[in-house]
């Protein structure tokens, strides 16, 4: 009987269509901005020689605008190796380890199949949205997958449009798409800061990013900033 308790807890976790529907409704406004970001990546990918199919496949497989842009820029140098591309994508996307760890206590109770399936749709935007809902008492684990569905659709549709319309659309810089990732990260930070004590981890993370980016490049800076900020936050909020 003792061994069956964890499985009983999993079976009681709420994972319903209603939660998915509410998540999808909340994700639609974000999907519109992600669509524009996808157009930007599609333009960059097409200028690097990607066809529509290859660009969309890249967006589906990697599913990370920052990592994809870095990979395409690396390919344009003509010196990219498979290991260099793999390492670049892995380092930039390592932040999702932290995202998944933050969601684990809440999401895992829905069972491994539902949890891993939901994580396939995990992105920066719906992670932040879901974490705020969890803190507010959200119990339906399908909410995460619901937020991810329209965002994924917007990302892939934007990629296809950008790659297919590269001959008629201006360069991404002319539309401001090159600033979208930085602006979105700043928006996430603003939404997560609730008190003055939260500003210290932000300052430490930003300072670490600037130093590491100057010494080693932007990809390691993302990971170093995340680890440094998280360590300071753990000390501040202990």
């Amino acid at each position: 009987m003792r061994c069956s308790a964890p499985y009983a807890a999993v079976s009681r976790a709420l994972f319903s269509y209603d939660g998915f529907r509410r998540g999808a409704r909340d994700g639609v406004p974000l999907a519109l901005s992600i669509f524009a970001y996808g157009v930007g990546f599609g333009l960059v990918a097409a200028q690097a020689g990607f066809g529509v199919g290859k660009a969309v496949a890249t967006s589906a497989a990697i599913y990370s605008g920052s990592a994809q842009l870095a990979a395409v820029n690396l390919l344009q140098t003509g010196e990219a190796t498979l290991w260099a591309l793999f390492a670049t994508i892995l380092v930039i996307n390592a932040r999702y380890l932290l995202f998944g760890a933050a969601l684990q206590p809440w999401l895992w109770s829905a069972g491994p199949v539902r949890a891993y399936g939901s994580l396939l749709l995990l992105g920066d935007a719906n992670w932040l949205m879901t974490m705020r809902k969890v803190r507010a008492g959200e119990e339906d684990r399908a909410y995460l997958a619901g937020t991810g569905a329209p965002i994924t659709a917007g990302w892939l549709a934007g990629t296809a449009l950008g790659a297919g319309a590269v001959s008629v659309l201006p360069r991404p810089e002319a539309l401001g798409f090159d600033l979208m990732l930085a602006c979105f990260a700043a928006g996430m930070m603003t939404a997560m800061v609730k008190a003055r004590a939260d500003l210290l981890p932000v300052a430490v993370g930003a300072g670490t990013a600037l130093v590491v980016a100057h010494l080693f490049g932007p990809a390691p800076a993302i990971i170093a900033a995340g680890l440094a900020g998280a360590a300071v936050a753990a000390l501040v909020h202990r």
Side-chain angles (χ1 to χ4, degrees):
M1 295 298 292
R2 292 180 180 177
C3 294
S4 65
Y7 298 96
V10 167
S11 65
R12 287 196 300 268
L14 185 60
F15 196 98
S16 70
Y17 172 75
D18 180 66
F20 183 92
R21 180 187 57 80
R22 288 188 290 104
R25 179 194 61 200
D26 293 345
V28 167
L30 287 174
L32 298 177
S33 61
I34 297 299
F35 172 81
Y37 191 14
V39 171
F41 170 73
L43 289 170
V44 172
Q47 290 165 359
F50 285 39
V52 174
K54 187 175 180 179
V56 172
T58 301
S59 285
I62 301 177
Y63 195 52
S64 171
S66 55
Q68 290 171 219
L69 289 171
V72 170
N73 289 334
L74 191 60
L75 286 171
Q76 288 179 312
T77 65
E79 301 177 357
T81 64
L82 182 61
W83 286 110
L85 288 170
F86 178 79
T88 299
I89 294 169
L90 180 63
V91 169
I92 293 179
N93 281 352
R95 69 188 185 278
Y96 288 106
L97 294 174
L98 302 177
F99 289 178
L103 284 168
Q104 191 272 345
W106 176 78
L107 183 61
W108 188 253
S109 59
V113 174
R114 290 171 172 175
Y116 287 131
S118 297
L119 290 175
L120 289 174
L121 302 177
L122 179 65
D124 297 321
N126 65 324
W127 172 79
L128 176 61
M129 178 181 291
T130 302
M131 288 300 297
R132 296 180 69 180
K133 279 287 188 178
V134 171
R135 294 191 186 102
E138 177 63 57
E139 296 183 356
D140 198 321
R141 275 66 175 177
Y143 183 86
L144 174 63
T147 60
I151 291 175
T152 301
W155 175 242
L156 297 179
T159 299
L161 177 61
V166 66
S167 60
V168 297
L169 292 175
R171 292 181 59 83
E173 295 83 355
L175 299 174
F177 290 146
D178 56 324
L179 287 176
M180 287 191 67
L181 180 61
C183 292
F184 180 75
M188 286 182 64
M189 178 204 71
T190 302
M192 297 177 71
V193 170
K194 302 296 183 183
R196 289 184 179 181
D198 296 334
L199 294 175
L200 181 58
V202 171
V204 171
T208 302
L210 291 173
V211 173
V212 175
H214 178 71
L215 295 176
F216 304 105
I222 295 174
I223 307 305
L227 293 175
V232 173
L235 294 174
V236 169
H237 295 288
R238 176 175 295 179

